[in-house]
């Protein structure tokens, strides 16, 4: 499942935000549960007709099974 928002802040600036969540289970294996959450944001600003600059960031966390530690990612 995922959701996102893309907003034009001004005539030259925009902001985008995304959220995603995944989960599934299996039976009869060692890794019986998997969960993942990701969040991201991007900002862009048009400087001229030919030049746009932007910055983006993302973070997420995954867990494959309750017996293993969580994995955190940043980008």
């Amino acid at each position: 499942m995922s959701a996102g928002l893309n907003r034009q802040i001004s005539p030259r600036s925009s902001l985008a935000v995304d959220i995603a969540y995944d989960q599934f289970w299996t039976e009869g294996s060692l890794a019986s549960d998997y969960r993942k959450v990701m969040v991201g944001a991007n900002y862009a600003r048009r400087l001229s007709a030919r030049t746009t600059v932007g910055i983006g960031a993302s973070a997420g966390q995954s867990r494959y099974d309750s017996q293993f530690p969580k994995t955190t990612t940043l980008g």
Side-chain angles (χ1 to χ4, degrees), residues 18-56:
D18 298 306
I19 300 170
Y21 177 79
D22 296 317
Q23 180 174 5
F24 69 86
W25 299 270
T26 59
E27 293 185 27
S29 68
L30 294 176
S32 61
D33 187 17
Y34 172 78
R35 295 178 187 167
K36 179 179 177 182
V37 178
M38 293 292 293
V39 177
N42 295 297
Y43 173 79
R45 176 142 177 104
R46 190 174 65 231
L47 301 179
S48 70
R50 295 188 302 178
T51 306
T52 301
V53 296
I55 187 168

